[in-house]
Amino acid sequence: MSSPGPTLQQTEVADITLTVTAVLITSLRLCIRVRQKRLGIDDAWVALGMVFDFLLLISDCLYLQDYERYPQNTRIALYYMIAQFFYGVVWSSKLSMLFTIVRLTIPGKFRRFLMCAVGTFGAIWALLFSQLWWICETQPNWKSQPHPQCDLGRRVAITQMITDVLADFFLIVAPFFLIYKVRLSRSQKVRILSVFSTSAITTIVSLTHAYYIFAGGGLKEVMAAIVEASMSLIVANLSVVVAFIFRLSSDDDSPSNPTPIITFGGQHRTRMAATRVAVETTTIVLEDLSESRLRSMKTSDDDEIILHNNRERKQTKEWC
């Protein structure tokens, strides 16, 4: 016996709660990057995803609650807006994560490979955008329903499952190649990889969403789409927000309890004393390597382990 689906009120509450959470986390990430003067392409994509998520919230509320006051054509338009804004949130978030990996990678073959992956992600988004119109416009009977919802069927569900799983798998595996030959402790590597491995969360949610598409849609499908969109945006921000939290935690620690911290695209501003004898805090800074060449030429007293450090020239050459 199948479990009863969520009510309209429950769906709206979940939508508002998750969207507000995702928007707040994204705003925090952007504030961090502005404060560090490190805004990049990955931040632009996540900001676009936030805009899509906010528009998705408005469209959902109009579609779910106030649809009876609108003419039928407006209801159909709202459905199409929801479906396309959903794709906008999910794939803007994935592109943001991919560009975060790109900015941490030195110029070379691997970065060119990542840029090819960017083009592939964009092509997948265009395919899903177009597929929705192909499916829904070839079976127009759904447009006459009081609460119109297109039966996307197997083709859309299978396409979403394959593309989401492959894209998330790539976003999990790519960082392994990024830090494979970096001289970090095992715990430090685990910490970095665990941040990027949160893409697995969106994989689980996307599979659930695809299942409800198979099962015939309804409010369960709408709820699963809302959760997937918001979780995709939240996960895309974790690499920056978690690094910021670790930095604050490290700043609060006493000298007798040093804690290694990891920052993604940030700047380490702490100056060491000139007569310091012992190193008590190690900072692992994953910087935007497109700007690394100028920084690597100047002398610094900071105790930093940087992926592009000239002291690791042999390792860097192996990456290229």
Side-chain angles (χ1 to χ4, degrees):
M1 181 177 179
S2 60
S3 59
T7 63
L8 282 174
Q9 185 177 7
Q10 291 172 339
T11 305
E12 282 190 326
V13 170
D15 192 6
I16 294 172
T17 303
L18 290 172
T19 301
V20 169
T21 302
V23 169
L24 289 176
I25 293 176
T26 306
S27 300
L28 175 60
R29 177 238 179 89
L30 295 175
C31 289
I32 293 170
R33 283 290 174 85
V34 169
R35 179 175 175 272
Q36 296 173 342
K37 298 181 180 179
R38 303 288 294 180
L39 283 173
I41 300 177
D42 54 338
D43 302 302
W45 278 109
V46 82
L48 181 62
M50 180 177 66
V51 172
F52 279 133
D53 203 21
F54 185 72
L55 294 175
L56 178 62
L57 171 63
I58 296 174
S59 301
D60 275 332
C61 290
L62 295 175
Y63 176 78
L64 293 173
Q65 193 66 36
D66 298 329
Y67 68 95
E68 293 181 351
R69 70 176 66 177
Y70 302 113
Q72 190 69 14
N73 289 338
T74 303
R75 302 179 196 177
I76 296 170
L78 283 172
Y79 173 80
Y80 275 125
M81 290 168 64
I82 291 171
Q84 298 297 1
F85 288 152
F86 163 77
Y87 285 141
V89 178
V90 171
W91 288 95
S92 293
S93 301
K94 293 183 189 301
L95 283 166
S96 175
M97 295 184 68
L98 184 54
F99 272 108
T100 298
I101 300 172
V102 169
R103 74 185 290 172
L104 300 176
T105 308
I106 61 175
K109 293 182 179 179
F110 187 55
R111 175 174 278 194
R112 290 194 293 271
F113 175 71
L114 291 176
M115 293 308 298
C116 291
V118 169
T120 303
F121 277 33
I124 292 172
W125 185 359
L127 171 64
L128 293 170
F129 179 91
S130 303
Q131 187 187 42
L132 179 72
W133 296 100
W134 298 338
I135 299 298
C136 295
E137 289 301 314
T138 55
Q139 47 180 18
N141 293 335
W142 63 274
K143 295 182 179 181
S144 60
Q145 300 173 4
H147 206 169
Q149 183 177 8
C150 177
D151 183 9
L152 298 176
R154 283 191 169 187
R155 285 179 290 178
V156 173
I158 292 173
T159 304
Q160 284 191 19
M161 279 194 298
I162 294 174
T163 55
D164 285 340
V165 170
L166 291 179
D168 292 337
F169 178 76
F170 183 86
L171 293 173
I172 293 173
V173 172
F176 280 84
F177 292 93
L178 179 65
I179 69 169
Y180 175 69
K181 297 181 180 180
V182 179
R183 295 179 183 178
L184 303 177
S185 68
R186 182 175 181 180
S187 62
Q188 291 165 348
K189 288 187 177 183
V190 168
R191 184 179 296 175
I192 297 172
L193 294 176
S194 63
V195 173
F196 287 100
S197 296
T198 51
S199 296
I201 297 174
T202 61
T203 303
I204 296 172
V205 178
S206 65
L207 291 175
T208 304
H209 181 210
Y211 168 78
Y212 286 124
I213 294 177
F214 268 119
L219 284 179
K220 290 183 180 180
E221 179 190 339
V222 175
M223 177 71 84
I226 290 169
V227 174
E228 182 179 354
S230 296
M231 290 304 301
S232 296
L233 189 58
I234 292 171
V235 167
N237 293 297
L238 291 183
S239 62
V240 177
V241 175
V242 171
F244 178 73
I245 294 173
F246 275 125
R247 172 173 289 178
L248 291 181
S249 176
S250 177
D251 290 342
D252 291 338
D253 287 337
S254 62
S256 60
N257 295 307
T259 303
I261 59 175
I262 301 169
T263 60
F264 296 86
Q267 292 178 326
H268 184 54
R269 301 181 182 277
T270 304
R271 294 291 179 184
M272 295 177 62
T275 60
R276 191 169 214 172
V277 177
V279 176
E280 297 177 349
T281 302
T282 300
T283 303
I284 302 154
V285 181
L286 303 185
E287 290 193 341
D288 183 355
L289 296 184
S290 63
E291 302 174 0
S292 64
R293 296 185 181 274
L294 292 177
R295 290 201 191 96
S296 63
M297 294 176 65
K298 67 179 182 180
T299 302
S300 174
D301 292 331
D302 292 350
D303 177 38
E304 297 180 351
I305 301 175
I306 304 174
L307 294 185
H308 61 283
N309 197 311
N310 282 349
R311 290 174 293 179
E312 302 293 340
R313 288 179 180 176
K314 181 178 179 181
Q315 174 186 311
T316 303
K317 291 178 180 179
E318 291 175 354
W319 282 28
C320 296

